[in-house]
Amino acid sequence: MSLYFWKPGLARDSDKARKHYRDGVKQSLQPPYFCALAQANGISNKELDRHTFEKALRHVRENNLPWGFGTARPKNLAELKDKTYRYKTKDKTYVEMPILDDKGNWRKVGPAFEEEDLQHVVLDFDEKHSGVSFDSSVPDRVQLIKDALPALQDVELVAFYSSSVINETPDKAPSLNLRIAVFFDKPYDRETVRAWMKSLQWPEIEGREPSRFLDIGLVEMTRWDVIANPTVDGRTPAPEKKLLEIYSQAGKRISIDRSALKIRGAEIYLENAKNLSDISEPIKKRIEHFERKALAGSLEGIRGVELFNEILREVRYRGKENARELVYALSGSPEVAGDKDIHGMLEDASFYVYKELTGRELGGYAHVKKNFSLLDCAEIDINAINFKNRIVCVKSGCGTNKTKGLTKRIIKRLIRKKGYKTALYISLLKATIKPASSDISSKDIRFVYYEANGSDRISKEELMRSQDYLATTNKSLDCLIENGRLKPFDLVIIDESEKVLMDCVSKFGEHSHIYALCNAAKTVVLLDADATDDVTGWFAKEVSDASTDHKEILALINGKDWMGHPTKPHTVYELQEQKDYIGIIEKGLAQGKRIFLHVGFKDSDEKKRISALIRHFSFLYPEKQIFGFDSESIKNEPELRNNSERWIDEKIAGDGLDLLIHSPWSKIGWDFLSSKEDNVFDFSVGAYPNKTVSAADIAQHLRRMRLTRVHYVWIDWKTTKSFGNKDSSNRERSLLEKAYRENLLRDEWGLDSMKAQGIPIDHSTEMKETVRRRSLIEKSNIRKAFELICKDRGAIFHPRYTTDRENEGITHLLIEYGKSEHIKEARKAWDDRQRRSQVLDNFFKWKWGTDPIYELEESWGKTPIRPNEEDFSTFLDLYTRELRASENGADLTTLFRLSIAGEAERGMLQAEDQAQGALLVGKILDRIDELVGQSTDGSIKKLMEWRESPKAAREFHVLVNNEDFKPIKELCQKNKSRIELSAFGRIASDLRANTTLIRKLCEVMDCELEDLSITPRERTEKGKPQANKEIVNHYKNKGLIDKSIRITAAVKEAEALLDGKLREGIALEPIEINFCRYRGHFLLIRKPYIESGLTMNCFAKARNHRIFSDSKNL
Amino acid sequence: MEYKLSDRELSELCLFISVRQIREVFPDYAPSQRTIYRRLARHGINTPTEAQSNFKTKLLLAAPVDLDDREANALIEDHIQTMFEELCATIEKSADLYRQRHA
């Protein structure tokens, strides 16, 4: 039960359950107050819903009863006898006080109640709100709250006035005076409910703290909701009409995701950590893995680094709040945690990720740093700043008038007063440059657009070399070269510097042009809303260091942003699922809102996603005006691109404009700000299903509609299609880990180590590396980076917002991932008869019987699979196997051909350009065959031949050690660039683990590989000496080894015996297998059952090919 | 009348040097950059830089297996330089012959 009716036990105490007003002023009750509560009734959790709650409330108010609603059961008086509690006195000392006094009254303190989980909770809204008037009804006030608290949209609730409402007068600014009871899907503990209430974020209104709007006190065990009618001037009036106004709303019940909440107190987590049932399965596995490592002693000396890396990965991948589960689970295992401060590591890792995702703060390299807080850069007093001989880095948010308000004034000042003769403006997009060139021009300083005379190279070169004031893209800088020299400019301005510098590395030589131009200039201005020290700051430092006149770096950093406007802040809702972005648009269109949808995909692929979205919304709302443009289709509407205000205003004035969809073409250099007040987009929605757009770009894109202050954004973290039984979250995890590893590798092998060794590095290489690293980090966790950017700019951020939209009817619009997408693809291939036969053609069936043509003796024969012979599930399996083989990038037929070919034939294949790097790949295959040959009796000469031979054993063991792998590894490493280009490119891409190459090769060959090597845990349970003893004793008992031989010599003999057995293909006994597992990598290679399975057909194809090519040569 | 580079010569030259460099090395024989691009495109070479890197890749793959990447690259650079010099000499020779014919 979570709803109890608390009522005073004695009639004299009935007033203690009411609020008191005297002369319109609320009288406070001095705690602690005594109240003898009668044993309370209540409503059981099963029966508690909005109907029973409303009924109880009406009953109390209509009958003027002195009752309150509590959330815990008061204990029996007998239970409380002689019980005490700690009371804090005025001089801040504690005294033990009895709960019951001698008259049978008791104190409303924690120990007097019995703790219970909550099925409902009452939210108390008492603060003043500008949207409330004296006449506002309960539904009006509820609507105000629902607008600000999306979590309360469409949930089951009962809303009613608090008793203070009787004090409202038309001339007084009224408070909300509202209570809302909400119901949960199941009972939750008080701590979880409290955390949920805290997670409800309320926008700051009229400069007041958001937390003040919602009083979360009613969740406390000792608090009761005083719902009884109040006393006014000492008498209890008849029930007020207003107090009987109750609003009840049907809807779903609230489900609290505990893992998403910030729950107070480490103890709770520690309890959970001890209770393994609360820890998710993947985390449990990881803890077990660490425990194994710890027991094996492999954490010694590296415990701190290992644990920190694990936590860092978790924070990077799932965010800080979700990483707590792992942290508490780790700290709950003393073997793993040791003496390390795991919680401290979480804080460090979070700080590291925050710094990494948002980039290092601009200004670290600056000689002079100026911070200002202005929404308009035109207010900066530039006369007080010295720009001459300086590199100026400006970081200021979108729409803060950087171009007109700051850049134009700097240009004017330097040219008119400091005698500068030439100026160059560089930006990323043509679309930005054209309007910007006129924005920064003044009467005597006219910037020329670089394609003004035509876009062909000769006209561009002619124009660009002759102009003193030029606006160009970074891509055309080489047109400035005349007689092998770049034309210098006194002033160089790089707009969107972060993106320009990151884009520069894509074209050979471009970065050196920018570098040279900046070196030669007297002043360089770098402007970007997201400038970081990683790219812009670093570039400024490089230029400053290289310039002969020692340019100083000046950083101008604007701390203000429109998103964090003091009275009109922006609100960003992070949508939870893909369907939600369609749901929110449907809802908005139904309410007649005007919406801007920005998406991370284009319309030109076969799925035509933007067109499909337009069709969907037009079908639902035929009267609505919906338009969508990507970078191609916008060419047909140049007006929208060049003069957005006119185009949109005209549309709105005409038939109207309800939804405008844009692909990333408009993310920078385009905006809409109408002079007409009503022409505003009510909210923007973003949908980003892939990693092509960075978080900074998404944050830029949602600001294109300058006056829109509410934004909904869905960003997916599942970015790559996976197939087969691979878990999508694992897939994502491995991608992140790959990115992370690359970072580590960079430190190990990259520039830092080169620098340490004193190897000279040219500027372009370093820049390329810096940019590569930055873009890698940017894409490692777009969702989190986006959240950090929004919060950094002062927006109110609501995570995990969801709508009640279901997938029904919109599945074709959603981008699917993982298994479902894979099955869909396989189904498509199955329906396409040509593709079906193509897949089936790669496999064949083994059949026992007489050869029909040559009438030879009965043997295994290959039978092709007819298209209608197999069902879809078999086809799905074959399709997956084929895909898995090709995922490793190897053309199987080529590999087979190379494997069976001799040296001369391989040379011929290479010369004929049929197989890239044929000789090299052939050599690797030979070495692998040698390796396999060592462990077998010689029947398996070629791994590929074994795979295709029906007579060969189905499985065999390979025993190899690291030394055996060394020649293969060396060969691959020495010829890395050739191998990357060859058929072995992806197979040999990862050589860190010795067995990876063979594992991948087996995948290509459609075989299974099982690594039977001993695990660290097993090693701790039974060490090598023990295994040695076992095998020696075993052989001695069998009489295979002389009993008098000492153990070391005996082990050598045993090893020799085993090697012989392996070579001869004699089946090993369990004790022998166990011993082999200690000797190195003990691998079991197995092919599918030939009796029932279908197998790949490449060998036959390869042989046929050889016959054909031989006959051709003849 | 001055000797002009043939399509074949241009296609071979673009495997070793960039279009701009062709103009710089043979200022008298080479047509304008725009014409060079047009003539190369006629023979399927739309992006000379790509053709150049493909050529190098092909050479790298054909390098003897007993050489490692670094040695192979050094050998290729050597070969390319020799081939380029030979080609330049051939072009100069053809130009001389041309001049003699039209003297």
Side-chain angles (χ1 to χ4, degrees):
Chain A
M1 214 186 282
S2 77
L3 177 63
Y4 286 92
F5 309 139
W6 293 359
K7 47 197 171 187
L10 301 166
R12 65 177 162 86
D13 288 334
S14 66
D15 279 358
K16 292 198 171 175
R18 298 180 192 275
K19 285 181 187 166
H20 303 279
Y21 292 90
R22 196 168 291 280
D23 302 329
V25 180
K26 189 175 160 187
Q27 306 295 307
S28 56
L29 290 171
Q30 289 299 319
Y33 50 87
F34 290 93
C35 188
L37 287 185
Q39 282 313 303
N41 294 321
I43 303 173
S44 71
N45 284 348
K46 210 175 164 188
E47 288 167 356
L48 183 62
D49 59 15
R50 65 190 176 97
H51 301 295
T52 49
F53 189 93
E54 188 185 343
K55 207 173 156 188
L57 189 65
R58 279 194 193 283
H59 178 69
V60 174
R61 287 197 166 162
E62 279 173 5
N63 298 313
N64 221 346
L65 297 172
W67 290 10
F69 282 178
T71 54
R73 188 182 75 79
K75 284 181 183 166
N76 292 326
L77 292 178
E79 281 179 68
L80 296 173
K81 212 175 171 188
D82 304 331
K83 289 271 164 64
T84 58
Y85 77 102
R86 290 181 86 196
Y87 173 63
K88 194 178 180 183
T89 58
K90 277 181 183 169
D91 55 347
K92 292 179 183 169
T93 53
Y94 287 96
V95 286
E96 291 290 328
M97 298 272 279
I99 292 174
L100 289 180
D101 70 356
D102 47 358
K103 290 173 192 158
N105 290 330
W106 58 280
R107 288 163 214 265
K108 212 152 60 69
V109 287
F113 296 93
E114 207 162 74
E115 181 59 293
E116 266 183 86
D117 287 351
L118 302 182
Q119 178 78 47
H120 88 295
V121 74
V122 178
L123 310 173
D124 183 4
F125 301 94
D126 265 345
E127 191 65 12
K128 284 197 170 79
H129 193 294
S130 54
V132 182
S133 67
F134 177 70
D135 302 323
S136 302
S137 63
V138 175
D140 292 343
R141 296 179 195 213
V142 170
Q143 192 52 47
L144 276 175
I145 289 164
K146 281 202 289 189
D147 286 346
L149 287 180
L152 298 186
Q153 300 269 13
D154 312 325
V155 298
E156 181 180 353
L157 58 85
V158 180
F160 51 98
Y161 284 123
S162 73
S163 55
S164 329
V165 79
I166 63 157
N167 240 9
E168 279 185 8
T169 50
D171 54 320
K172 215 162 85 182
S175 305
L176 280 162
N177 287 334
L178 200 71
R179 301 273 161 88
I180 296 180
V182 291
F183 304 89
F184 302 121
D185 57 342
K186 60 175 186 195
Y188 290 98
D189 63 87
R190 218 170 276 276
E191 198 63 48
T192 306
V193 176
R194 188 189 290 117
W196 172 77
M197 286 168 83
K198 275 188 177 175
S199 76
L200 295 172
Q201 290 179 35
W202 184 283
E204 192 174 306
I205 294 175
E206 292 146 16
R208 278 168 294 158
E209 277 292 307
S211 56
R212 288 185 58 187
F213 279 92
L214 173 61
D215 179 7
I216 63 164
L218 285 176
V219 76
E220 301 303 333
M221 189 161 56
T222 51
R223 283 280 297 272
W224 61 346
D225 186 8
V226 187
I227 54 150
N229 299 330
T231 68
V232 179
D233 300 331
R235 61 188 172 80
T236 313
E240 276 248 356
K241 207 177 169 191
K242 223 171 179 183
L243 283 175
L244 294 176
E245 194 181 331
I246 298 169
Y247 170 75
S248 162
Q249 175 186 293
K252 60 185 178 192
R253 292 199 161 204
I254 292 167
S255 170
I256 304 179
D257 178 8
R258 196 181 150 86
S259 64
L261 295 175
K262 196 175 184 175
I263 295 178
R264 192 175 68 182
E267 323 75 62
I268 294 159
Y269 274 105
L270 282 173
E271 273 170 26
N272 285 346
K274 278 172 203 156
N275 182 7
L276 278 177
S277 62
D278 268 16
I279 295 176
S280 60
E281 204 53 40
I283 298 275
K284 241 189 255 179
K285 274 187 185 164
R286 280 154 76 188
I287 300 295
E288 279 168 16
H289 165 74
F290 270 108
E291 278 174 353
R292 274 202 300 276
K293 273 182 125 175
L295 285 173
S298 44
L299 279 186
E300 291 310 315
I302 54 162
R303 190 184 301 268
V305 179
E306 286 274 305
L307 295 181
F308 181 75
N309 283 345
E310 190 70 15
I311 294 168
L312 183 64
R313 271 180 226 136
E314 192 72 5
V315 173
R316 213 186 273 271
Y317 167 52
R318 295 179 67 201
K320 186 181 173 185
E321 291 311 317
N322 294 328
R324 283 185 196 279
E325 189 185 359
L326 173 75
V327 166
Y328 285 101
L330 281 173
S331 56
S333 167
E335 293 92 0
V336 179
D339 57 348
K340 300 291 170 202
D341 176 13
I342 308 282
H343 296 277
M345 282 182 185
L346 174 68
E347 295 306 319
D348 291 350
S350 310
F351 183 63
Y352 180 76
V353 168
Y354 169 78
K355 275 188 79 172
E356 200 181 56
L357 281 176
T358 49
R360 275 180 298 155
E361 199 185 329
L362 187 74
Y365 295 122
H367 300 101
V368 186
K369 191 172 160 184
K370 283 186 194 296
N371 289 306
F372 55 96
S373 290
L374 296 169
L375 283 173
D376 187 357
C377 288
E379 291 171 28
I380 300 173
D381 179 13
I382 60 163
N383 293 329
I385 304 169
N386 175 23
F387 290 105
K388 204 175 172 187
N389 206 21
R390 275 186 165 176
I391 302 164
V392 188
C393 307
V394 185
K395 182 184 179 176
S396 184
C398 314
T400 48
N401 205 4
K402 287 195 292 287
T403 318
K404 267 191 193 171
L406 185 67
T407 318
K408 189 177 175 180
R409 286 163 62 221
I410 294 176
I411 296 168
K412 268 173 41 186
R413 181 153 177 259
L414 289 174
I415 289 176
R416 286 182 189 161
K417 297 199 174 153
K418 302 285 172 189
Y420 283 32
K421 297 269 184 290
T422 50
L424 175 68
Y425 174 87
I426 305 168
S427 189
L428 195 67
L429 301 174
K430 279 184 193 179
T432 338
I433 295 167
K434 210 169 183 179
S437 62
S438 56
D439 282 352
I440 54 174
S441 294
S442 46
K443 269 183 197 170
D444 51 336
I445 309 161
R446 290 236 156 262
F447 274 81
V448 177
Y449 178 56
Y450 76 119
E451 282 190 351
N453 282 0
S455 59
D456 62 294
R457 196 170 172 86
I458 291 171
S459 331
K460 271 197 298 189
E461 277 180 358
E462 208 174 292
L463 181 79
M464 288 171 73
R465 287 173 195 166
S466 61
Q467 293 304 318
D468 285 341
Y469 308 118
L470 179 70
T472 177
T473 60
N474 50 322
K475 293 272 175 250
S476 297
L477 288 178
D478 53 346
C479 293
L480 286 169
I481 300 171
E482 200 169 8
N483 300 329
R485 288 191 62 194
L486 265 171
K487 183 190 169 184
F489 287 84
D490 291 342
L491 170 64
V492 174
I493 301 148
I494 306 179
D495 202 355
E496 307 289 350
S497 61
E498 200 86 356
K499 290 184 194 72
V500 168
L501 295 172
M502 283 174 85
D503 188 58
C504 273
V505 292
S506 58
K507 192 179 161 190
F508 180 73
E510 195 180 300
H511 45 267
S512 50
H513 298 335
I514 285 213
Y515 187 56
L517 280 167
C518 291
N519 265 336
K522 290 180 190 164
T523 298
V524 180
V525 181
L526 305 163
L527 301 144
D528 202 304
D530 308 299
T532 61
D533 251 5
D534 286 344
V535 178
T536 303
W538 174 83
F539 178 77
K541 181 190 145 272
E542 289 293 305
V543 174
S544 165
D545 289 351
S547 58
T548 44
D549 46 0
H550 293 292
K551 290 190 191 83
E552 269 193 348
I553 302 173
L554 164 69
L556 296 176
I557 300 161
N558 190 356
K560 262 207 175 151
D561 193 287
W562 284 99
M563 285 183 98
H565 194 279
T567 53
K568 296 168 187 167
H570 285 232
T571 314
V572 181
Y573 296 91
E574 183 202 58
L575 296 172
Q576 199 166 323
E577 285 177 61
Q578 196 176 358
K579 63 178 177 58
D580 291 331
Y581 91 84
I582 293 174
I584 201 84
I585 294 173
E586 286 178 2
K587 214 170 180 177
L589 287 175
Q591 288 171 9
K593 308 260 187 207
R594 189 175 296 128
I595 305 162
F596 172 57
L597 169 62
H598 47 105
V599 295
F601 43 81
K602 51 186 180 178
D603 202 32
S604 49
D605 65 352
E606 59 165 49
K607 289 187 177 162
K608 295 255 170 216
R609 291 191 196 285
I610 294 178
S611 307
L613 282 170
I614 296 174
R615 268 200 305 281
H616 172 74
F617 294 120
S618 304
F619 175 72
L620 286 180
Y621 307 100
E623 75 287 359
K624 301 281 176 192
Q625 294 298 316
I626 297 164
F627 298 91
F629 301 97
D630 74 344
S631 54
E632 282 303 310
S633 54
I634 190 65
K635 286 176 186 164
N636 302 328
E637 286 287 353
E639 182 84 21
L640 172 62
R641 185 172 198 151
N642 301 328
N643 194 343
S644 58
E645 189 186 341
R646 193 192 293 172
W647 191 91
I648 294 175
D649 283 351
E650 272 176 16
K651 283 278 172 219
I652 293 172
D655 292 337
L657 175 62
D658 297 291
L659 175 63
L660 183 63
I661 308 175
H662 275 188
S663 76
W665 68 267
S666 63
K667 66 184 177 194
I668 48 168
W670 184 93
D671 60 4
F672 169 68
L673 181 62
S674 176
S675 49
K676 290 176 188 164
E677 254 182 44
D678 293 343
N679 291 359
V680 178
F681 283 77
D682 294 304
F683 61 85
S684 78
V685 181
Y688 292 88
N690 44 39
K691 279 195 174 181
T692 49
V693 186
S694 71
D697 284 343
I698 298 172
Q700 289 269 10
H701 212 170
L702 60 82
R703 293 278 293 107
R704 293 304 103 191
M705 300 299 174
R706 296 292 192 204
L707 295 180
T708 306
R709 288 199 298 273
V710 180
H711 314 280
Y712 297 86
V713 179
W714 169 72
I715 304 167
D716 206 335
W717 50 269
K718 283 175 269 168
T719 49
T720 13
K721 284 185 210 167
S722 66
F723 68 85
N725 53 6
K726 281 183 189 168
D727 177 23
S728 56
S729 62
N730 282 343
R731 173 91 179 170
E732 172 67 10
R733 201 181 151 70
S734 70
L735 280 174
L736 281 175
E737 276 178 14
K738 196 178 159 210
Y740 180 71
R741 212 163 47 228
E742 279 183 29
N743 278 339
L744 290 183
L745 282 178
R746 175 199 175 262
D747 295 339
E748 203 175 329
W749 301 106
L751 298 175
D752 293 353
S753 99
M754 281 165 80
K755 272 183 184 169
Q757 290 168 31
I759 300 168
I761 308 157
D762 68 325
H763 173 263
S764 60
T765 316
E766 194 161 1
M767 182 150 168
K768 216 168 191 169
E769 184 58 32
T770 310
V771 166
R772 189 189 69 84
R773 188 161 187 248
R774 181 77 215 128
S775 53
L776 197 74
I777 291 167
E778 264 188 4
K779 290 188 176 167
S780 68
N781 197 338
I782 297 175
R783 242 183 175 181
K784 187 76 192 160
F786 176 70
E787 183 186 331
L788 293 175
I789 290 173
C790 290
K791 284 182 177 169
D792 209 33
R793 291 185 182 168
I796 298 161
F797 192 84
H798 295 274
R800 290 178 290 277
Y801 180 76
T802 185
T803 61
D804 52 2
R805 184 73 169 91
E806 295 300 327
N807 281 350
E808 202 180 318
I810 53 168
T811 41
H812 64 290
L813 296 173
L814 306 178
I815 293 166
E816 289 178 49
Y817 301 91
K819 210 170 178 178
S820 54
E821 176 78 353
H822 172 62
I823 293 173
K824 207 169 148 188
E825 272 176 19
R827 177 66 70 179
K828 208 174 159 188
W830 171 257
D831 293 339
D832 179 353
R833 288 191 73 81
Q834 200 179 348
R835 178 84 182 99
R836 193 198 297 187
S837 356
Q838 214 174 26
V839 173
L840 292 176
D841 191 36
N842 280 329
F843 296 87
F844 59 83
K845 243 182 186 172
W846 285 107
K847 212 173 179 183
W848 183 259
T850 318
D851 192 311
I853 301 169
Y854 303 107
E855 291 181 358
L856 300 171
E857 61 181 76
E858 283 213 330
S859 65
W860 286 103
K862 289 170 184 171
T863 328
I865 307 162
R866 282 190 294 275
N868 293 331
E869 201 174 339
E870 300 299 334
D871 58 358
F872 177 69
S873 61
T874 320
F875 175 79
L876 181 64
D877 176 43
L878 298 182
Y879 182 78
T880 312
R881 274 159 67 180
E882 195 210 29
L883 215 59
R884 191 167 288 151
S886 57
E887 205 206 20
N888 286 313
D891 170 12
L892 195 48
T893 316
T894 309
L895 279 186
F896 274 92
R897 278 163 61 192
L898 290 178
S899 173
I900 55 174
E903 189 81 11
E905 203 178 349
R906 283 174 191 166
M908 206 168 69
L909 282 170
Q910 179 158 311
E912 282 180 3
D913 210 14
Q914 290 182 16
Q916 291 203 321
L919 288 168
L920 207 58
V921 174
K923 211 168 173 180
I924 299 174
L925 284 170
D926 286 349
R927 294 228 166 132
I928 292 173
D929 288 337
E930 265 174 44
L931 213 85
V932 172
Q934 278 176 23
S935 311
T936 53
D937 58 347
S939 61
I940 304 173
K941 282 185 184 137
K942 301 257 179 207
L943 197 62
M944 302 279 182
E945 275 187 336
W946 161 80
R947 172 65 188 84
E948 285 303 308
S949 163
K951 285 177 191 165
R954 189 184 161 228
E955 58 181 35
F956 66 93
H957 289 97
V958 183
L959 181 62
V960 280
N961 55 31
N962 291 345
E963 281 300 306
D964 296 326
F965 276 109
K966 223 174 171 181
I968 300 177
K969 252 184 161 176
E970 268 177 14
L971 190 68
C972 291
Q973 268 157 2
K974 274 188 177 172
N975 301 294
K976 209 173 168 191
S977 48
R978 268 179 288 177
I979 297 231
E980 271 172 15
L981 296 164
S982 73
F984 240 58
R986 265 182 267 171
I987 296 181
S989 61
D990 184 4
L991 288 168
R992 283 169 312 130
N994 285 331
T995 46
T996 319
L997 191 133
I998 295 191
R999 183 182 296 280
K1000 284 189 178 178
L1001 188 62
C1002 285
E1003 267 182 23
V1004 172
M1005 286 161 49
D1006 196 22
C1007 288
E1008 289 168 23
L1009 181 133
E1010 208 176 326
D1011 193 349
L1012 303 173
S1013 313
I1014 210 87
T1015 61
R1017 186 166 192 137
E1018 286 171 321
R1019 204 180 280 276
T1020 52
E1021 283 163 10
K1022 190 161 77 177
K1024 178 103 194 276
Q1026 212 177 332
N1028 285 348
K1029 263 184 208 168
E1030 270 180 17
I1031 191 80
V1032 168
N1033 289 341
H1034 177 72
Y1035 282 155
K1036 278 182 178 172
N1037 291 340
K1038 276 191 153 187
L1040 295 169
I1041 298 177
D1042 191 350
K1043 283 190 177 173
S1044 61
I1045 302 179
R1046 292 173 73 89
I1047 183 85
T1048 328
V1051 170
K1052 277 189 181 162
E1053 272 202 28
E1055 283 177 355
L1057 277 167
L1058 263 173
D1059 288 343
K1061 263 192 157 181
L1062 277 171
R1063 264 198 300 277
E1064 284 161 29
I1066 300 168
L1068 299 180
E1069 293 173 47
I1071 199 165
E1072 290 171 327
I1073 290 179
N1074 199 35
F1075 179 67
C1076 285
R1077 296 176 63 210
Y1078 283 88
R1079 292 180 60 197
H1081 298 285
F1082 191 50
L1083 311 173
L1084 174 69
I1085 301 178
R1086 184 191 299 132
K1087 53 187 175 184
Y1089 276 112
I1090 54 169
E1091 292 87 348
S1092 57
L1094 302 159
T1095 186
M1096 280 204 164
N1097 200 12
C1098 300
F1099 188 71
K1101 279 187 183 175
R1103 274 214 195 287
N1104 290 343
H1105 197 280
R1106 191 163 67 155
I1107 294 163
F1108 291 138
S1109 58
D1110 283 352
S1111 58
K1112 204 168 74 183
N1113 289 334
L1114 284 170
Chain B
M1 214 166 116
E2 193 54 77
Y3 176 75
K4 289 285 170 203
L5 293 171
S6 69
D7 282 10
R8 189 194 168 90
E9 283 162 344
L10 282 174
S11 318
E12 281 181 36
L13 276 172
C14 83
L15 295 179
F16 307 120
I17 49 175
S18 69
V19 171
R20 192 171 349 116
Q21 282 167 328
I22 296 178
R23 287 270 298 160
E24 282 166 14
V25 176
F26 299 108
D28 301 333
Y29 312 148
S32 71
Q33 281 192 35
R34 198 173 164 181
T35 313
I36 298 178
Y37 277 111
R38 216 179 45 235
R39 280 168 61 184
L40 289 176
R42 218 187 286 161
H43 299 281
I45 306 171
N46 291 314
T47 40
T49 44
E50 200 182 313
Q52 211 177 88
S53 71
N54 285 348
F55 176 61
K56 278 190 182 168
T57 308
K58 211 166 174 179
L59 289 178
L60 184 66
L61 285 168
V65 190
D66 48 343
L67 297 182
D68 65 26
D69 272 359
R70 219 173 41 186
E71 292 163 340
N73 275 322
L75 193 72
I76 287 165
E77 286 301 321
D78 219 33
H79 269 293
I80 284 184
Q81 192 55 35
T82 323
M83 282 157 78
F84 175 60
E85 278 164 15
E86 278 173 8
L87 182 63
C88 288
T90 322
I91 290 170
E92 288 295 349
K93 212 171 162 184
S94 311
D96 275 348
L97 284 172
Y98 182 86
R99 271 194 291 271
Q100 283 166 18
R101 273 205 305 276
H102 292 87

